[in-house]
Amino acid sequence: MSKILVIDDDRSMCETLDLYLAEEGYEVITASTGTEGLNRFVEHSPDVVILDIRLPDMSGYELLMKLRTLTDYVPLVLMTGFGYDRDHTIVKARREGLKFVLYKPFRLDQLVSAIEHTIEERQQQVSTEATLAVDD
């Protein structure tokens, strides 16, 4: 069972995603601030992080950079309810490897697709790293 960490200050969004993703067979952990999300990431080592672009204590990009100090690869799906990204968080995150951005409101099947692709990408990366290690 894959673990999903949802970080969003909107409690109803966390609850909705928790219910839906649990029905889809995922283990879901939630956090409402960047600091709480960072702690949950360390505690649970999730397979995917679903992160809101704006949190009460830091931006999604700031949290991404903190997570990157812990691991080279952060399996991230960024979500936003804003059409205008004044801080260029999405652009900055894409430079750090972000592949998926979901704009609220999004369809739940889009979220599952982004999660599945993120998990597949991570599995391919791990496989490649293992192959390179054997070749050394």
Side-chain angles (χ1 to χ4, degrees):
M1 175 184 301
S2 296
K3 286 188 273 187
I4 310 297
L5 172 58
V6 177
I7 308 170
D8 194 326
D9 62 328
D10 180 347
R11 283 280 178 210
S12 65
M13 176 62 79
C14 284
E15 290 170 4
T16 299
L17 295 182
D18 186 359
L19 288 170
Y20 178 75
L21 293 173
E23 286 178 10
E24 292 291 314
Y26 296 105
E27 178 184 341
V28 182
I29 303 111
T30 62
S32 59
T33 67
T35 302
E36 184 182 4
L38 185 62
N39 291 334
R40 297 273 193 274
F41 185 88
V42 170
E43 290 169 23
H44 298 280
S45 300
D47 297 296
V48 177
V49 177
I50 301 169
L51 174 61
D52 192 29
I53 198 170
R54 290 191 189 160
L55 299 168
D57 56 344
M58 66 184 78
S59 73
Y61 178 74
E62 290 170 322
L63 179 54
L64 170 61
M65 297 315 296
K66 289 180 184 217
L67 294 172
R68 290 287 303 273
T69 65
L70 302 173
T71 180
D72 290 336
Y73 178 77
V74 179
L76 181 66
V77 175
L78 196 63
M79 59 183 174
T80 181
F82 300 97
Y84 175 66
D85 180 16
R86 73 168 187 260
D87 298 325
H88 307 290
T89 299
I90 295 170
V91 172
K92 292 177 193 174
R94 285 199 187 279
R95 288 183 189 143
E96 296 298 325
L98 174 71
K99 301 279 191 292
F100 296 99
V101 179
L102 297 174
Y103 294 89
K104 298 175 188 175
F106 50 81
R107 293 188 336 258
L108 294 173
D109 65 310
Q110 291 173 311
L111 176 61
V112 170
S113 177
I115 290 169
E116 290 173 354
H117 281 93
T118 303
I119 291 171
E120 288 172 15
E121 181 180 277
R122 178 62 180 149
Q123 289 171 341
Q124 289 173 354
Q125 182 182 16
V126 168
S127 176
T128 300
E129 290 170 359
T131 301
L132 292 175
V134 169
D135 290 342
D136 287 343

